Amino acid sequence: MGEIILPRRLFLWCMALIYMVAFVSLYVQIPGLYGNDGLLPARWQLRYTGKPLLEQLLTSPTLLWLGPLLGLDTQTAMELLCLTGAALSLAASLLEPLRDSLVFFCLWALYLSMYQVSLRWPLPPFLFSLTHYVYFNLPKSVSLLQVGQVFLYFQWDNLLLETGFLCVLVAPLTLIRGSRVVREHDPVTFWLIRWLLFRLMFASGVVKLTSRCPTWWGLTALTYHYETQCIPTPLAWFAHQLPVWWQKLSIVGTFVIEIPVPFLFFSPLRRLRLAAFYMQLLLQVLIILSGNYNFFNLLTVTLCLSLLDDRHVNFWLRKADKSGDENNDSKLLLWLSRLVELLVWALTIFGTIICFDLQVDSAKNAVSSRTAFTYHQFNQFLKTVTIPCIWIGVLSLTWELVASMFRCACISGFLKRFWGMIQWTVFAAAAASMFAVSLVPFSYVEYDSHSRLWPGVRQAYGLVDRYQLVNSYGLFRRMTGVGGRPEVVIEGSNDGNTWTEIEFMYKPGNVSASPPVVTPHQPRLDWQMWFAALGPQTQSPWFTSLMYRLLQGKREVIELIQTDVSKYPFHEEPPTYLRAHRYRYWFTEPKADGSFPERWWRRVYDQEFYPRVHLGNTFLEGMLTQFGLKDKSASRRVSNTAVAQAVRWVRAQVRGVPAHTLIWTLLACSATFCLLQGLRSKNRHAEQTAVTDEAAEKVDDPNEGGDESLSDHSEEKQAEEDESEKNTEDEEEEENEQKLVSENDDEEELVKKDENHDESF
């Protein structure tokens, strides 16, 4: 693989932006989710027992333990950590020297502090089963003992933590070394990003088939997906109207991009890696356009940057390629590589046609498709390729290790070479360790392969599991909402007779409301409402807390539903009664004349989800007691330290601003600043280049200036000669005139003499 300086720099910049998005998105929702009057107050789970700080950090790795030392309660400490992470990541996105290993370690530690700490929160079996089998592909040993609880129990939070830790290895030590020079081991650490991308995409494709979901096997999943996903976009409505044969063909393309194409990530042929990059990019862009999946797809695209090299980034920037690698290759190697590429794509197309029985139906102007293999055959395929996948990773990593070691050995100077070898040893050991530990969650896709792993690797994974260094991935294991999208609708009333629906900002409710576009923000309550609708309310304990807080009229929780509190129907006075019903939602169809319908959705009533309750209601009190949602501890005195006051001031400034608007404003400002900075550096570089080229031309052709002076001198000399000749001619003319005058005088004298002579005569 070629030089990776530019892709690495671009990757770190994108990671800084994604960190900023994640921190800001979470910060806005902290009071309603984890605040003292929120749905699941974090202070209930983070008990300060008086143990030594080091012991608490080892037991529960979170910086929230430092809150009491600063005189802060748990909510204020969480807000402070989020603000610190947002400010640090924003600064890193603006200033390249801050895209440092130490800065990324701080960002990782801050997000981990928000994510995980030992808790004792009861996890209903159904909720774990739901998230494991329906939406995620997570190991059964995973625990929800974390500050974030169910609201941070998402796959992209795990992916951000794992990628963030890899950034610690990828980023340079600028703040310590004071230099951003390229290190010889950089390709080794950057390779870990490519391995993570492979695990993510390969597992995402495999779990769809290992789940035995009939919609994936029948290639009909997309006929339900667009309307049943958590928060669709307006384009999802149009995508849902596409013909069924196209939807099935899109499923085939998804399987191809997610299962065989990731193997090209490790291809020694550059064009195959670039083709794999653009195929992954196409899939992620289509998902972004049709669904609101916060920063998850942006993070996946960022991981795809590990497939690029400097040559291709320079091609994007319209810069000349100075490497000349392709020109140095012999024609034989060039033809062989083209032949291999042709063979790879031919096998891919042929395998796709055979596995999915693709046939052109000219009568219907369509392409028919079906799954032409069985579950047993796919399982055998999985058993066959899982271990070779590991060995492919081993060989690819070994190649990078050997190549980087050779570069270290070629460094001139003994001390520099010795220091380079020490760095290579440290980072090579770290890369090998990360790769080995990642094999445990990767092998979850196939049980037999997982059982064949070396026990020492599984023990090492158990030691680092709490830090989320490596994780298991795989989205959309099963397709839900086949019989219609289930949606919970909360209703409130002051008299028990007239009921008003409480509309959320993002999730479907009002059938006439357009689906929103909120990427990259994640409204975590809206997402959990989607999960809650898939089962009874007893399997979503937090929903009881939601009903209780709405009856109390807690502003922090209301702002999770409507940022503009004035749009909340009970903003003046809390409702006396609340209830919840489950409906089935479907996208509307175009009219017969092809015009668009007036409504986006249609719905039918399904069943009661939560009975009518009020404050003091026996059922409500019983549920609160059953799930431990009654706050029995005395409320803490509000801290008035300078830090606490500063945190509250920032909160007052952003209150009422929609989260997605705040995030896009920060992203626009950051992008504009970086663009102006890039244009400034480009102009400066152009000026320096012009000066350098001018100096180089003078050095290369020193007679150029002399020729000009000689030319001027010759012109002056010629002018002098002409003037001299002219003067000579004038002098000759004057002499001739004088001669004529003298001759005339002589003649006159002679005549006079003759006359005198005659007279005398």
Side-chain angles (χ1 to χ4, degrees):
M1 190 169 182
E3 294 293 335
I4 46 91
I5 300 174
L6 296 179
R8 174 170 158 268
R9 293 173 60 186
L10 184 59
F11 168 78
L12 295 175
W13 179 72
C14 291
M15 283 302 302
L17 288 179
I18 291 174
Y19 261 126
M20 182 192 68
V21 168
F23 278 115
V24 173
S25 177
L26 184 58
Y27 166 76
V28 174
Q29 304 174 78
I30 283 177
L33 296 179
Y34 311 117
N36 297 328
D37 294 323
L39 299 180
L40 299 176
R43 64 186 176 89
W44 295 356
Q45 314 302 330
L46 200 66
R47 303 293 184 181
Y48 298 98
T49 59
K51 295 181 180 179
L53 178 61
L54 181 59
E55 183 179 348
Q56 289 178 325
L57 289 174
L58 293 176
T59 304
S60 305
T62 174
L63 297 177
L64 293 175
W65 293 119
L66 301 177
L69 300 180
L70 299 175
L72 306 176
D73 60 4
T74 305
Q75 175 186 342
T76 308
M78 293 183 73
E79 292 188 20
L80 178 61
L81 292 185
C82 271
L83 287 174
T84 304
L88 192 58
S89 54
L90 177 61
S93 68
L94 299 177
L95 303 174
E96 188 174 5
L98 290 180
R99 293 167 213 159
D100 179 81
S101 182
L102 294 179
V103 172
F104 278 107
F105 177 79
C106 293
L107 293 174
W108 173 80
L110 289 168
Y111 203 77
L112 179 67
S113 299
M114 305 298 298
Y115 176 85
Q116 183 169 355
V117 67
S118 296
L119 301 176
R120 288 173 175 79
W121 185 261
L123 175 63
F126 172 80
L127 179 58
F128 178 82
S129 176
L130 173 69
T131 52
H132 175 66
Y133 290 107
V134 176
Y135 206 70
F136 304 113
N137 179 39
L138 297 172
K140 293 185 178 181
S141 60
V142 76
S143 173
L144 275 187
L145 301 182
Q146 55 188 20
V147 165
Q149 306 167 54
V150 295
F151 295 108
L152 272 169
Y153 187 52
F154 291 100
Q155 191 169 161
W156 34 86
D157 294 313
N158 298 329
L159 182 61
L160 179 58
L161 284 171
E162 180 171 352
T163 310
F165 185 79
L166 293 181
C167 287
V168 179
L169 302 177
V170 173
L173 278 171
T174 307
L175 298 180
I176 294 179
R177 298 171 58 194
S179 173
R180 297 191 298 272
V181 296
V182 180
R183 303 170 299 181
E184 284 69 21
H185 59 265
D186 283 340
V188 176
T189 54
F190 204 49
W191 179 92
L192 293 173
I193 306 298
R194 210 185 326 161
W195 171 247
L196 173 57
L197 176 64
F198 172 80
R199 288 165 41 217
L200 172 66
M201 301 310 302
F202 183 74
S204 296
V206 165
V207 298
K208 294 177 175 61
L209 295 175
T210 56
S211 66
R212 298 191 180 187
C213 177
T215 61
W216 287 115
W217 280 91
L219 306 181
T220 59
L222 285 184
T223 59
Y224 308 103
H225 165 73
Y226 294 116
E227 66 181 4
T228 62
Q229 59 184 321
C230 293
I231 303 177
T233 65
L235 287 180
W237 186 91
F238 296 94
H240 182 73
Q241 313 305 326
L242 295 173
V244 175
W245 71 267
W246 179 263
Q247 308 279 26
K248 299 176 73 173
L249 193 62
S250 299
I251 294 292
V252 173
T254 301
F255 282 137
V256 172
I257 293 175
E258 291 184 342
I259 297 179
V261 169
F263 287 94
L264 301 181
F265 297 169
F266 307 107
S267 170
L269 299 180
R270 175 176 176 270
R271 288 159 57 97
L272 290 179
R273 293 195 305 271
L274 293 179
F277 166 80
Y278 282 107
M279 295 177 75
Q280 301 299 326
L281 182 64
L282 173 64
L283 177 62
Q284 300 306 318
V285 170
L286 292 176
I287 296 175
I288 292 173
L289 293 176
S290 61
N292 290 286
Y293 291 95
N294 51 81
F295 58 82
F296 179 66
N297 300 107
L298 299 177
L299 181 54
T300 305
V301 171
T302 302
L303 293 176
C304 291
L305 296 175
S306 61
L307 303 176
L308 302 179
D309 55 19
D310 285 358
R311 285 176 56 191
H312 200 68
V313 176
N314 282 326
F315 170 75
W316 287 352
L317 300 176
R318 295 294 186 267
K319 290 184 178 181
D321 179 29
K322 300 180 180 180
S323 61
D325 293 339
E326 189 171 348
N327 297 329
N328 294 333
D329 295 338
S330 65
K331 291 185 177 180
L332 178 61
L333 290 178
L334 189 62
W335 279 102
L336 285 177
S337 63
R338 297 292 186 269
L339 183 62
V340 172
E341 293 169 6
L342 183 62
L343 181 62
V344 167
W345 296 124
L347 289 176
T348 302
I349 296 173
F350 177 76
T352 303
I353 295 174
I354 296 300
C355 292
F356 296 99
D357 194 20
L358 299 182
Q359 297 181 6
V360 178
D361 189 347
S362 56
K364 298 181 180 179
N365 293 327
V367 177
S368 64
S369 57
R370 68 178 184 87
T371 306
F373 54 90
T374 64
Y375 175 80
H376 175 72
Q377 290 174 331
F378 182 75
N379 199 34
Q380 287 297 120
F381 161 79
L382 202 56
K383 290 182 179 180
T384 304
V385 302
T386 302
I387 296 300
C389 284
I390 296 175
W391 281 110
I392 289 175
V394 170
L395 293 176
S396 181
L397 177 59
T398 302
W399 172 262
E400 295 292 349
L401 289 173
V402 172
S404 62
M405 183 178 65
F406 179 76
R407 285 191 294 269
C408 289
C410 294
I411 298 176
S412 60
F414 173 76
L415 293 179
K416 291 184 178 180
R417 187 185 308 115
F418 179 73
W419 177 240
M421 289 302 298
I422 291 178
Q423 292 185 76
W424 176 88
T425 303
V426 173
F427 283 93
S433 301
M434 290 294 296
F435 172 75
V437 174
S438 69
L439 298 180
V440 176
F442 170 71
S443 60
Y444 283 141
V445 297
E446 208 283 305
Y447 176 78
D448 291 340
S449 300
H450 178 71
S451 61
R452 293 168 59 185
L453 288 179
W454 182 42
V457 174
R458 287 197 288 269
Q459 293 176 1
Y461 172 76
L463 294 175
V464 300
D465 186 28
R466 70 172 66 183
Y467 303 106
Q468 304 299 315
L469 300 186
V470 291
N471 299 278
S472 177
Y473 302 103
L475 275 176
F476 301 109
R477 186 181 180 92
R478 298 186 67 87
M479 191 57 58
T480 60
V482 175
R485 174 196 181 97
E487 200 65 59
V488 174
V489 176
I490 302 175
E491 299 175 343
S493 174
N494 288 321
D495 56 10
N497 296 320
T498 304
W499 295 88
T500 303
E501 291 188 7
I502 297 177
E503 295 183 16
F504 285 64
M505 280 190 298
Y506 307 116
K507 83 177 192 67
N510 184 353
V511 294
S512 299
S514 168
V517 177
V518 299
T519 301
H521 169 58
Q522 183 191 0
R524 295 181 182 267
L525 177 59
D526 295 66
W527 272 78
Q528 284 300 328
M529 289 290 290
W530 182 86
F531 283 112
L534 299 176
Q537 55 87 15
T538 54
Q539 295 162 345
S540 300
W542 59 267
F543 192 84
T544 296
S545 180
L546 173 63
M547 302 290 279
Y548 181 59
R549 295 304 190 190
L550 292 180
L551 287 171
Q552 291 179 320
K554 297 298 183 181
R555 180 185 176 92
E556 294 83 355
V557 176
I558 293 174
E559 289 179 342
L560 294 176
I561 298 175
Q562 288 289 344
T563 302
D564 186 357
V565 179
S566 62
K567 295 182 180 180
Y568 180 69
F570 302 98
H571 64 277
E572 296 181 353
E573 181 183 0
T576 305
Y577 303 96
L578 282 179
R579 69 183 184 185
H581 294 289
R582 179 160 42 214
Y583 289 82
R584 295 283 176 176
Y585 279 69
W586 295 269
F587 273 141
T588 54
E589 303 293 334
K591 296 181 180 180
D593 59 357
S595 61
F596 298 141
E598 297 178 357
R599 297 179 176 180
W600 292 84
W601 302 92
R602 62 184 179 89
R603 73 180 187 182
V604 297
Y605 179 80
D606 188 8
Q607 63 181 357
E608 181 184 72
F609 183 79
Y610 206 91
R612 187 176 77 168
V613 294
H614 56 83
L615 290 177
N617 179 269
T618 304
F619 176 80
L620 179 61
E621 293 294 327
M623 295 297 292
L624 291 172
T625 302
Q626 177 183 347
F627 294 122
L629 297 171
K630 295 286 287 186
D631 190 3
K632 299 179 182 180
S633 60
S635 59
R636 292 189 176 184
R637 182 172 55 87
V638 178
S639 175
N640 288 321
T641 62
V643 176
Q645 291 178 1
V647 171
R648 285 197 292 269
W649 181 84
V650 175
R651 172 64 60 184
Q653 304 309 308
V654 301
R655 172 159 284 173
V657 180
H660 60 281
T661 303
L662 179 61
I663 291 173
W664 275 111
T665 301
L666 291 174
L667 287 176
C669 293
S670 177
T672 302
F673 180 84
C674 293
L675 179 61
L676 294 176
Q677 199 175 32
L679 292 176
R680 181 182 177 186
S681 62
K682 183 178 180 180
N683 293 335
R684 186 184 304 169
H685 178 71
E687 293 176 359
Q688 293 177 352
T689 303
V691 173
T692 304
D693 292 344
E694 184 178 354
E697 289 177 359
K698 290 182 178 180
V699 172
D700 293 339
D701 194 0
N703 294 325
E704 183 178 357
D707 291 341
E708 294 180 356
S709 61
L710 288 175
S711 177
D712 296 339
H713 180 68
S714 61
E715 291 178 358
E716 294 177 357
K717 186 174 182 181
Q718 182 69 29
E720 292 178 356
E721 291 178 354
D722 294 341
E723 186 176 357
S724 176
E725 291 178 356
K726 185 177 180 180
N727 293 335
T728 304
E729 292 177 355
D730 293 341
E731 291 177 355
E732 291 178 353
E733 289 179 358
E734 290 178 356
E735 291 178 356
N736 293 333
E737 289 178 356
Q738 291 177 359
K739 287 181 179 180
L740 289 174
V741 171
S742 61
E743 289 178 355
N744 292 334
D745 293 341
D746 293 341
E747 290 178 355
E748 290 179 355
E749 290 179 357
L750 183 61
V751 170
K752 287 180 178 180
K753 287 180 178 181
D754 293 339
E755 291 178 353
N756 294 330
H757 179 72
D758 292 338
E759 289 178 356
S760 61
F761 182 71

